[in-house]
Amino acid sequence: MKKHLLLALLTLLVGFSALAQETVKQLTLLYDTSYDMRNKDLEAELRFMDSYFNQNKAVDVRFVSFSNDIIQEGVYKVRGGNWTALRDELENSIYDGAGSYKDLFKGVATEVMLVTNGRADLQDFPQDFSHKVNVICSVTNSNQKGLEGLALRSGGTFFNVFATTNEIPQGDGIRSVSGRVSDSAGPLEGVSIYNRETGARTLSAADGTYSLNAKINGILEFSYVGKNTLLTRVPENGVKDVLMVAGSELLDEVVLTATLESDDDAVNTGNMRVAKKRLGYSVETITDKEISEQDINLETAVQGQFSNINLKPDQDITQFLSRGNNMTILLDQTGLIVVDGVPIESSPGALSGVTTGNNGIGTGNDRSIFGQGGLLDPANIADITVLKGLAATNKYGTLGRNGVILVTTKTAAVSKAQTRDSAIPLGTTATYTGSAADMAALPDTPYIKALQAASNIDEAYNIYLEQRERYGNAPYFFIDAASYFKDWNNPVLVSRVLSNAKLVARSANELRATAYQYENLGMHDQAAAIYSELVSAYPQQVQHYRNLALALAAAGRPDEALAIYTGIDNKELAQNGQLGNLQKTYVKDYKNLVFSHKSSLQLAGVRDFFKSNVSHRARVIFEWSDYDAEFDLQIVNPQNRFFTWTHDKATDAIRWADEQTLGYGLEEFFMTAQDKGEWLFNMTYKGKRTGDNAAPTYVKVTTYFDFGSPNQRQEVKLIRLEALSKEETVLKVKL
């Protein structure tokens, strides 16, 4: 029956041709060799071709194989129905890279036979065809509807040869899944494994092994007392090993050791001085060393020194704006100034002419102290600290709701028992005595070790194909392999290898990691395409909009980037412009785009606020692919002093909730012209709270030098985090 149906379809195809059988037919065969096609029914395709060339015995075939780009072109002359040479070509095809139809029909002047699954971007196909396109598909998970439409528009026919030669088995998609559960000490017994789709549940054995039936790509939930619950996808190969990390644990005995912290390690928090490395929130501080003799008042002293302080030229310091200015104009948006522990009321007109309430209501403090030569003469300031986050400002109640600037004067500080002066620059934090090793350029994985044994690129590619058989369902295999092939200076191969990661990615985390690698390799158009997909699939995650705008600008499309920034500013995109802690980063990026491309952009709809740029000697931005990743970031200055910024739920639950609600994983740091020397950035990875710890987290680090100036340049680096509790130097910045 199936043979009769196949012959009937082929007869239909032959009937569409107006050429006689003995006349030489011209055919373009577009053959999809993307990684997505590796599990197709090749035998069904070959049977179809056999029948075709039995009916069309004289054909000049222009053969084009493609994946993310055109791979190969050639001409095969079929005579007397003998297509052996072409058949050998099809049977020996290598399937690698994502599918792309871009420019595929350029120069095509004959009837087309397209063999594909339709999972690339169909918008890349032309809308009008001068020749008919017959589509051949032997893949079950194809875009059949899109391919049928393509064939119909061109006057061709869609042939689903898989459906005519195979039957899908009953219960397809459910398979046995097995693996091993362990933690840092070894195998774990009694871990509960639950499949959310099927309801199946089991416990791990004494050696940590487990087995249960589950739906492919479904969710497996691993839970165990004292460990963070872990969620992961069911892989297609049915093998899933997981690593669990400790959550809240009960300890039999705790031994604490401590060293005395000097006052130089402490910062002002409003009612006490606390060691900066012990704070559960972020602060920024400048001392009298950062205050220039040319600063005539407090406004000029803070201008450009703090990342989240907005102050217009005609405003005094009590009118500074912080936290993104998202409150209604009927309420006061200005921050709070605290001088030597005393709140100072704000001036009226803080909203450019709109009279607002006073932050210092009931204090009645005289603002004459802000005048030049007064108590707050810049020459009389010991240090200025900006408190960030609700955890830092809630001690001031509603007065501190919009941010707090703490000013300590030398008049108040002179009574301190020890002098501030020292012949040795002590820094503001403890001395770094660690021994973090430089992170290796490539991960220590079996597939990278195998690749490193290659003596030439052909050998390396063959090893890659062998390793792909085992690791090809994991995006990180292709991300890491792309890093390896970069050293062979073959950008075409690098692009093809990395494009596979997008095909096998099953989550936003994995797509973000892939986009980060594209940016690391300078392939900004490809990164923009992924961010565009993420914006469509996860519109509630605000960081995707910002990343898309940056990728578009880097790809030479600043007008599209400007439209995104303007849409956010108009509260049309990104959760109606509610960006949380990402606000300060968004403002700098928007300003920098306008500054860098002002000669080519139409700025009619851009607020004046974004037409003045911010400048930093160096600006370092960390972005992590898994928003639930926990780590310590230790920053060591040229004087070997350090500050530790911790990203975990326990340290700052308010920020953590903000990240998960708004959808972002980013923090930035900047250095001034005075911060000369080499800076070290060390990371200690602590795993993910709910993600799969057997899979790595990727961190993209963007370092801008001379940010906001005509000489601005940037460097992008991709960091792979996998080993737990291991301190590694991931970045060095020399100023």
Side-chain angles (χ1 to χ4, degrees), residues 186-202:
L188 277 179
E189 181 181 8
V191 176
S192 174
I193 303 104
Y194 172 67
N195 181 234
R196 292 186 172 184
E197 279 71 28
T198 65
R201 188 183 297 273
T202 189

Side-chain angles (χ1 to χ4, degrees), residues 482-559:
S483 294
Y484 166 80
F485 281 111
K486 178 184 178 183
D487 294 336
W488 286 104
N489 196 28
N490 189 326
V492 174
L493 181 56
V494 170
S495 178
R496 186 190 311 164
V497 169
L498 182 55
S499 68
N500 295 308
K502 178 183 174 182
L503 294 178
V504 299
R506 304 296 182 188
S507 66
N509 300 342
E510 294 171 345
L511 284 172
R512 276 192 296 272
T514 304
Y516 291 169
Q517 177 67 298
Y518 272 124
E519 291 175 292
N520 175 48
L521 297 171
M523 301 176 185
H524 300 291
D525 275 317
Q526 293 91 329
I530 293 180
Y531 288 133
S532 181
E533 290 185 15
L534 286 168
V535 165
S536 298
Y538 306 93
Q540 77 283 4
Q541 297 188 0
V542 299
Q543 186 171 321
H544 296 153
Y545 295 89
R546 178 250 178 195
N547 287 354
L548 174 57
L550 288 177
L552 289 170
R557 298 150 66 183
D559 51 336

Side-chain angles (χ1 to χ4, degrees), residues 209-381:
T209 59
Y210 71 95
S211 177
L212 80 166
N213 290 333
K215 186 175 182 180
I216 295 175
N217 292 326
I219 301 293
L220 285 182
E221 179 181 296
F222 294 78
S223 56
Y224 189 77
V225 176
K227 305 292 182 182
N228 289 327
T229 298
L230 186 150
L231 303 178
T232 186
R233 294 279 184 183
V234 176
E236 292 182 0
N237 63 2
V239 178
K240 188 64 187 179
D241 297 331
V242 299
L243 178 67
M244 304 193 74
V245 297
S248 301
E249 295 182 324
L250 295 177
L251 305 180
D252 294 330
E253 181 180 8
V254 178
V255 179
L256 299 177
T257 60
T259 56
L260 183 64
E261 294 168 337
S262 71
D263 189 61
D264 293 290
D265 297 333
V267 294
N268 184 11
T269 64
N271 54 9
M272 67 180 69
R273 297 183 69 82
V274 179
K276 193 171 185 179
K277 64 180 180 180
R278 294 174 54 200
L279 290 176
Y281 46 84
S282 179
V283 301
E284 292 184 55
T285 298
I286 62 172
T287 67
D288 53 356
K289 294 181 176 60
E290 284 80 47
I291 299 175
S292 170
E293 294 179 356
Q294 298 177 351
D295 291 324
I296 60 173
N297 52 41
L298 187 57
E299 287 78 10
T300 60
V302 303
Q303 198 71 39
Q305 297 277 21
F306 300 101
S307 61
N308 66 340
I309 298 301
N310 302 325
L311 191 65
K312 294 182 179 180
D314 60 344
Q315 291 178 325
D316 64 57
I317 190 63
T318 67
Q319 298 171 323
F320 82 90
L321 300 179
S322 182
R323 297 186 175 278
N325 320 332
N326 291 320
M327 299 181 67
T328 170
I329 62 171
L330 297 179
L331 295 176
D332 186 8
Q333 299 182 52
T334 58
L336 176 67
I337 300 292
V338 179
V339 180
D340 295 335
V342 180
I344 305 299
E345 69 177 3
S346 62
S347 297
L351 292 174
S352 302
V354 179
T355 302
T356 65
N358 293 330
N359 261 335
I361 262 184
T363 60
N365 292 307
D366 187 355
R367 293 197 66 267
S368 63
I369 63 172
F370 289 93
Q372 186 177 5
L375 185 62
L376 280 193
D377 185 333
N380 191 40
I381 295 175

Side-chain angles (χ1 to χ4, degrees), residues 603-618:
L603 303 179
V606 177
R607 288 195 289 138
D608 289 342
F609 171 74
F610 294 107
K611 295 178 182 178
S612 60
N613 206 10
V614 179
S615 61
H616 296 305
R617 176 63 183 87

